[in-house]
């Protein structure tokens, strides 16, 4: 599936894709955090059949319904395929020494052997976060590794 990204100067970004059944759908993400869900007309792919305005909370709920569970489902299927693989979402709380620090600062892979495969923030999934990704309180850090490595990562993120 191809995802098209279009910069909208002064507004934000628009992402569009076409479903397997031929329906074109888009999302406009404004700089203010609002989202517009676009359902294009079947007769004219450049015309919108419906535009649904979503505030930040509504977009978060929709993202949670559509995005986060999909990542977790995929990881669960992967875990079933590979014996000994553990996957866990670890929430970063206010007292963590890593709030405000980066993934690189935590050195999770070299210290625990586990890998951070995604970060979920405000309902948005950041797959394969880069070392410069800064952690915030409330982030869900999705980790894959041995059961021991995942436990060590939780301990590291909670207590340093």
């Amino acid at each position: 599936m191809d995802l098209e990204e279009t910069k909208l100067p002064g507004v934000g970004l628009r992402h569009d894709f076409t479903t397997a059944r031929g329906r074109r759908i888009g999302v406009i993400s404004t700089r203010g955090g609002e989202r517009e869900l676009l359902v294009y007309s079947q007769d004219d792919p450049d015309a919108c059949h419906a535009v649904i305005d979503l505030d930040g909370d509504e977009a978060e709920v929709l993202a949670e319904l559509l995005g986060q569970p999909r990542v977790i489902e995929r990881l669960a299927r992967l875990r079933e395929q590979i014996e000994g693989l553990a996957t866990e979402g670890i929430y970063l709380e206010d007292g963590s020494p890593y709030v405000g620090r980066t993934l690189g600062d935590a050195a999770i892979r070299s210290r625990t052997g586990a890998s951070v495969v995604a970060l979920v923030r405000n309902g948005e999934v950041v797959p394969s976060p880069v070392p410069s990704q800064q952690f915030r309180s409330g982030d869900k850090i999705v980790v894959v590794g041995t059961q021991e490595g995942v436990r060590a990562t939780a301990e590291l993120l909670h207590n340093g």
Side-chain angles (χ1 to χ4, degrees):
M1 180 178 321
D2 291 328
L3 180 65
E4 298 173 26
E5 181 179 293
T6 306
K7 292 180 183 176
L8 304 173
V11 176
L13 291 173
R14 186 183 75 216
H15 292 93
D16 297 307
F17 70 96
T18 303
T19 68
R21 294 185 178 156
R23 292 299 309 256
R24 189 164 166 81
I25 297 174
V27 175
I28 294 177
S29 304
T30 68
R31 292 179 183 202
E34 293 84 21
R35 304 285 194 270
E36 292 180 7
L37 181 61
L38 313 170
V39 180
Y40 293 95
S41 171
Q42 286 182 309
D43 300 327
D44 181 357
D46 293 325
C48 281
H49 173 73
V51 176
I52 302 167
D53 293 319
L54 302 171
D55 65 22
D57 291 335
E58 294 162 339
E60 183 177 329
V61 168
L62 184 59
E64 198 169 302
L65 289 172
L66 298 174
Q68 179 179 345
R70 297 282 299 175
V71 169
I72 302 305
E73 286 170 16
R74 288 178 185 158
L75 290 172
R77 283 195 301 272
L78 180 61
R79 181 175 46 205
E80 289 171 6
Q81 295 171 2
I82 303 172
E83 191 171 324
L85 185 66
T87 305
E88 188 170 334
I90 302 166
Y91 285 93
L92 204 62
E93 298 174 3
D94 281 331
S96 169
Y98 290 99
V99 170
R101 295 179 65 194
T102 66
L103 174 59
D105 290 338
I108 291 169
R109 185 178 175 115
S110 61
R111 294 171 74 182
T112 69
S115 297
V116 174
V117 297
L119 181 136
V120 183
R121 177 179 293 153
N122 298 324
E124 294 202 25
V125 177
V126 178
S128 303
V130 296
S132 62
Q133 177 71 54
Q134 191 173 48
F135 292 134
R136 295 184 191 160
S137 179
D139 284 351
K140 182 177 185 178
I141 301 159
V142 182
V143 180
V144 175
T146 63
Q147 191 64 43
E148 182 181 303
V150 169
R151 273 195 299 269
T153 300
E155 177 69 23
L156 175 69
L157 291 173
H158 290 125
N159 301 317

